[in-house]
Amino acid sequence: MEDWQKILHRSITAIPDLQMHFGGDMHGLDQVAAVYPLRINPYYLDLIRHAGDPLWKQAVPDWRELADEVCPADPLDEQRLSPVPLIVHKYPDRVLFLVSNQCAMFCRFCTRKRLVGTPAMRITDELIDRGIDYIRNHPAIREVLVSGGDPLLLSDERIDAILTALRAIPSVEVIRIGSRVPCTLPMRVTDKLVHLLKKHHPLYINTHFNHPAEITPESEEACRRLADAGIPLGSQTVLLRGVNDDLQTIRTLMRALLRIRVKPYYLFQADLTRGTNHFRTPVRAGLEIMRGLYGHLSGLAVPTFALDAPGGRGKIPLTPEYVLEYGDNLVFSNYCGEICTYPESGDPC
Ligand SMILES: *Cc1c(COP(=O)(O)O)cnc(C)c1O
Ligand code: SF4
């Protein structure tokens, strides 16, 4: 067993162990964990400072997960958009390829919480081969997003085999891995892993940090190794009520990501996934946060605020309104709220 596997093996997966660690009343939470599995590895557990803090909320089951009767289980209609198992084909030029049903921790807000870590997500070598065949037979696919679960929880050998098979398809130009490991189990990013990943360029990794307290010397080191191997890093952050839904937290997070060489890519409006309704924030709150980023922070630190449209209709960018009036003179406000104009036609002088 590798060191990271030993750490993962010592994860808390049962409510009584969680209760022993934190104390407090966890009555009834075993019912939640029976539906949506619990896993908090010792590394992430150490980052939680006290019950109810932003990292706790991401990791510890909540009775509201079972009380949610508003949201659909599969809001993005991934079932309908799946031509063969493990493939979600929504956009013409890229597909999602779900190769792992395990994660370094099970996030309570996960969009695929109905599947991840449960027997409902069955992944076999044969199904992976069928997915690769599908990609080979559809040359319009230029980019493959290898995701899950977390693909970096597979063994080095399995990761290498999947990436090698994808690289053998001439129409696949870019491979993108989605992994929360740099945040939730940074010791998984071993020199050996990085060495195998960099054989498969052009390779991008989008990771997922939600709070400045997740940025530690360990996660910084994981990102440094990946970036030094020439892998561009992005972050897909989710806006979560009580976790990061205030301007100061998001500003600090975006700046810190840039410092550890991770480009903020998306800031997601929370999906309508069943069991996660208590994390949702109003879209307006996200737009207000974005207004506090544009111009105030380096453009490199500003993500695209996006909503993944229900029913699998794709990601919609949401931008605060700066234009006040379209016409011969465009009237708009700048990042400080000052009104400015720009002559569209006629003699500007
Ligand atoms: C999010 C997503 C993608 C990637 O979209 P980008 O905007 O390129 O990041 C691709 N396929 C599916 C099914 C997705 O949900
Ligand atoms: S790491 Fe990603 S896929 Fe895994 S539980 Fe968290 S959000 Fe879901």
Side-chain angles (χ1 to χ4, degrees), residues 103 105-107 109-110 116 148-150 180 208:
C103 296
M105 82 164 189
F106 293 131
C107 312
F109 53 84
C110 179
V116 168
D150 199 316
R180 220 189 160 192
H208 175 170

Side-chain angles (χ1 to χ4, degrees), residues 41-303:
N41 71 58
Y43 166 78
Y44 201 86
L45 189 69
D46 267 356
L47 301 184
I48 298 176
R49 269 168 307 160
H50 56 81
D53 79 12
L55 276 55
W56 153 285
K57 286 179 182 160
Q58 294 184 60
V60 173
D62 186 298
W63 62 268
R64 287 174 292 183
E65 294 175 42
L66 291 184
D68 177 4
E69 282 166 5
V70 184
C71 295
D74 179 15
L76 305 180
D77 242 1
E78 291 189 337
Q79 203 74 37
R80 178 178 65 81
L81 292 167
S82 180
V84 295
L86 315 189
I87 295 277
V88 183
H89 197 171
K90 173 153 72 182
Y91 297 107
D93 73 335
R94 55 207 191 278
V95 288
L96 204 56
F97 189 19
L98 309 176
V99 300
S100 164
N101 64 0
Q102 292 301 311
C103 296
M105 82 164 189
F106 293 131
C107 312
R108 308 321 299 175
F109 53 84
C110 179
T111 288
R112 293 193 196 101
K113 71 186 289 167
R114 72 186 188 284
L115 299 173
V116 168
T118 78
M121 198 172 190
R122 202 175 63 91
I123 293 172
T124 62
D125 286 356
E126 195 240 317
L127 291 178
I128 289 182
D129 287 345
R130 275 177 68 189
I132 290 168
D133 286 342
Y134 179 86
I135 295 165
R136 188 183 301 109
N137 294 330
H138 291 79
I141 299 168
R142 293 166 185 275
E143 179 174 341
V144 179
L145 276 79
V146 182
S147 181
D150 199 316
L152 296 188
L153 279 210
L154 299 176
S155 69
D156 291 349
E157 293 68 30
R158 297 267 288 155
I159 295 169
D160 201 19
I162 292 169
L163 297 182
T164 302
L166 289 174
R167 267 284 156 252
I169 303 173
S171 42
V172 173
E173 293 171 2
V174 169
I175 298 174
R176 184 193 325 177
I177 292 178
S179 170
R180 220 189 160 192
V181 146
C183 170
T184 52
L185 188 65
M187 40 293 288
R188 168 63 183 110
V189 183
T190 59
D191 282 329
K192 188 159 159 270
L193 175 69
V194 171
H195 190 73
L196 89 79
L197 291 176
K198 75 176 184 192
K199 291 188 304 180
H200 302 284
H201 275 309
L203 178 83
Y204 290 69
I205 292 184
N206 265 355
T207 183
H208 175 170
F209 286 85
N210 289 332
H211 195 275
E214 293 171 340
I215 295 176
T216 63
E218 290 87 349
S219 59
E220 186 170 353
E221 168 65 13
C223 294
R224 186 192 62 74
R225 287 182 186 190
L226 294 167
D228 280 355
I231 302 171
L233 302 174
S235 176
Q236 310 198 154
T237 299
V238 188
L239 200 54
L240 299 167
R241 187 158 71 172
V243 172
N244 59 11
D245 60 336
D246 64 280
L247 177 58
Q248 209 41 56
T249 303
I250 293 289
R251 272 190 183 167
T252 308
L253 175 63
M254 298 301 143
R255 286 193 172 121
L257 286 171
L258 210 53
R259 206 169 51 236
I260 65 167
R261 301 161 77 185
V262 177
K263 165 80 185 83
Y265 178 66
Y266 278 134
L267 175 65
F268 277 123
Q269 172 69 15
D271 289 329
L272 291 171
T273 308
R274 183 176 302 158
T276 68
N277 200 35
H278 56 290
F279 283 115
R280 287 206 297 138
T281 53
V283 169
R284 280 191 177 284
L287 286 170
E288 274 317 298
I289 288 174
M290 291 307 296
R291 203 179 271 284
L293 301 183
Y294 284 112
H296 299 275
L297 260 58
S298 157
L300 285 174
V302 181

